[in-house]
Amino acid sequence: MSNSGFSKAGLHRVRDVLSRHVDSGKIPGVVALFSKGDETHVETIGTMRHDGGAPMRRDTIFRMASTSKPVSIAAAMVLLDECRLRLDDPVERWLPELADRQVLKRLDGPLDETVPARRPITVRDVLTSTFGLGMDMTVIGTPIMNAVFEQGITPNLPTPMPEQDEWMRRLGTLPLMHQPGERWQYQISSDLVGVLVSRVTGQSFESFLRERIFEPLGMKDTGFHVPADQLHRLPPLYAPDPGTGEFQVWDEAETGRHSTPPAFQGGGGGLNSTADDYHAYFRMLLNHGMHEGERILSRAAVELMTTNRLSPEQQAARHKLAVDNVHVSHGQGQHGGWGFGMAVRTYRGDYAPIGQFGWDGGSGTSTYADPDNQLTGILLTQVGASVPDPVHLMLDFWTTLYQAIDD
């Protein structure tokens, strides 16, 4: 394990590559924070709006989108540490809406052609994203995916998700796509984790996260909405036109979805945060659950979250999804494994080593830590992945970060 830091030439290249993306006119602004051992660097380049405006700052607040997943999962780990949850408990005790599931006979079949689930859904199934229902962009247009969208149980639809009891009621009307524990699927599990935590604790998901994770880590700017007096720190989120690349505002700061507390506190994508807040969280994971002498999570909980939890068959299916559909993800997502709430690299497919963990967000966010190099990187921008540009920025950021290591 190396604790020497970055080369001077390597650091120049990081800044040059980030600047090149901003200078291209495709990325209005970026905040990048990265550390190795005790050495931390921050780059703030560009502006809050695509037509100028205030400069990006270290404390700019971003919509974290799917990078919420590796952070929000920590609430469930606290409950495992305290034996308020067990991995193989059936979840129906807290989520009765998911008792007695029916499972589709075929993924593209009618919703009433089902067989009974072979067993109940467990906590483990929810934490590993294998409970039987999720987002699968390769089967858009099938009756089950149409029903998922019609029920309004996923984020980023024209109307926001309903409060959690109504969300659960709607979820309970759908058959599963796969048998519990059988196949890895994206997104819905991460939102379900929040409901599970809320029902086990009798608190809102956010209040439990704040009490047990955010406040102990000093994550003062992290939450499911941005207070009115801080909205000036939140840039608009752009979703450029995929055809023309023209900037379109998907979510404004003042009047947008993050300006008031949401009805649904989504562990899958609802958090707002800053580079420093996320850095504190990922450094805690690298420190085996410790933060400034205080234990946030047990070492065992961190190891469980940040190592691959998928069987070889599940991993093969997830890998196939990534490599056969590179065009959908602009080349992002080829990690191999999945732990709890985050990807875990199980093979060397690019500059990052096996064991690196974290995730990316569709709003132009990328957050990973690497135990081998004691490296943490947080890359934040305000451009959604409707175009390849923010993903190309992420890929280049990680390439330049690894080439900058001097050991």
Side-chain angles (χ1 to χ4, degrees), residues 222-269:
T222 304
F224 288 107
H225 83 288
V226 179
D229 62 355
Q230 300 300 320
L231 278 171
H232 62 282
R233 293 166 58 197
L234 180 73
L237 175 62
Y238 297 104
D241 182 288
T244 65
E246 186 188 342
F247 280 99
Q248 300 171 334
V249 174
W250 195 87
D251 191 52
E252 260 307 350
E254 281 74 22
T255 54
R257 293 190 175 198
H258 295 262
S259 62
T260 54
F264 188 89
Q265 296 173 350

Side-chain angles (χ1 to χ4, degrees), residues 67 84 108 128 130 165 206 255 292 295 301 317 319 362 393 404:
T67 62
R84 296 160 77 182
D108 58 354
T128 52
T130 60
D165 290 349
E206 183 172 39
T255 54
E292 294 177 355
R295 183 156 291 289
H319 181 65
L393 169 65

Side-chain angles (χ1 to χ4, degrees), residues 75-253:
M77 306 314 291
V78 170
L79 296 179
L80 287 174
D81 272 345
E82 295 179 353
C83 298
R84 296 160 77 182
L85 280 178
R86 294 184 202 94
L87 285 170
D88 296 304
D89 280 345
V91 293
E92 57 202 51
R93 176 177 159 195
W94 304 280
L95 308 172
E97 298 91 342
L98 296 183
D100 305 321
R101 293 291 78 199
Q102 292 289 314
V103 183
L104 289 176
K105 283 185 177 172
R106 1 184 276 276
L107 206 48
D108 58 354
L111 298 187
D112 55 0
E113 280 189 17
T114 60
V115 296
R118 287 195 289 266
R119 62 164 176 79
I121 294 167
T122 64
V123 172
R124 188 188 300 270
D125 299 329
V126 174
L127 299 188
T128 52
S129 297
T130 60
F131 85 97
L133 200 58
M135 300 297 292
D136 184 345
M137 294 330 216
T138 65
V139 293
I140 295 287
T142 54
I144 184 62
M145 286 309 295
N146 290 345
V148 165
F149 291 131
E150 282 158 18
Q151 289 291 349
I153 58 171
T154 58
N156 306 331
L157 296 174
T159 52
M161 298 198 289
E163 54 79 32
Q164 65 181 31
D165 290 349
E166 171 60 16
W167 187 85
M168 283 303 306
R169 187 196 67 75
R170 295 182 191 181
L171 185 64
T173 66
L174 299 172
L176 300 181
M177 298 160 79
H178 300 283
Q179 288 285 345
E182 185 177 64
R183 199 179 183 96
W184 180 88
Q185 289 185 289
Y186 193 52
Q187 179 60 40
I188 297 176
S189 283
S190 297
D191 284 326
L192 190 55
V193 168
V195 182
L196 179 62
V197 167
S198 173
R199 291 203 176 159
V200 170
T201 61
Q203 294 175 246
S204 76
F205 185 38
E206 183 172 39
S207 70
F208 188 74
L209 271 169
R210 177 154 287 131
E211 188 183 300
R212 303 305 300 271
I213 305 297
F214 301 161
E215 284 178 358
L217 287 171
M219 297 171 70
K220 60 184 188 302
D221 289 313
T222 304
F224 288 107
H225 83 288
V226 179
D229 62 355
Q230 300 300 320
L231 278 171
H232 62 282
R233 293 166 58 197
L234 180 73
L237 175 62
Y238 297 104
D241 182 288
T244 65
E246 186 188 342
F247 280 99
Q248 300 171 334
V249 174
W250 195 87
D251 191 52
E252 260 307 350

Side-chain angles (χ1 to χ4, degrees), residues 12 25 42 48 64 67 98 109 115 150 161 174 197 208 211 242 283 290 296 298 302 305 307 311 330 390 400:
H12 279 304
V42 182
M48 300 269 281
M64 298 309 291
T67 62
L98 296 183
V115 296
E150 282 158 18
M161 298 198 289
L174 299 172
V197 167
F208 188 74
E211 188 183 300
R283 291 298 300 178
M290 294 294 287
I296 310 296
S298 69
V302 173
M305 295 160 72
T307 53
S311 70
H330 312 303
T400 53

Side-chain angles (χ1 to χ4, degrees), residues 305-372:
M305 295 160 72
T306 61
T307 53
N308 179 46
R309 303 265 62 85
L310 302 183
S311 70
E313 297 76 23
Q314 290 169 330
Q315 210 171 319
R318 177 172 141 71
H319 181 65
K320 189 172 178 355
L321 203 63
V323 298
D324 287 357
N325 299 285
V326 163
H327 60 290
V328 174
S329 63
H330 312 303
Q332 184 278 334
Q334 298 184 46
H335 308 82
W338 192 262
F340 289 166
M342 67 189 88
V344 179
R345 289 188 185 265
T346 51
Y347 70 99
R348 186 126 199 187
D350 55 25
Y351 280 36
I354 290 170
Q356 185 209 43
F357 55 81
W359 197 227
D360 305 305
S363 59
T365 54
S366 185
T367 59
Y368 289 86
D370 161 7
D372 268 12

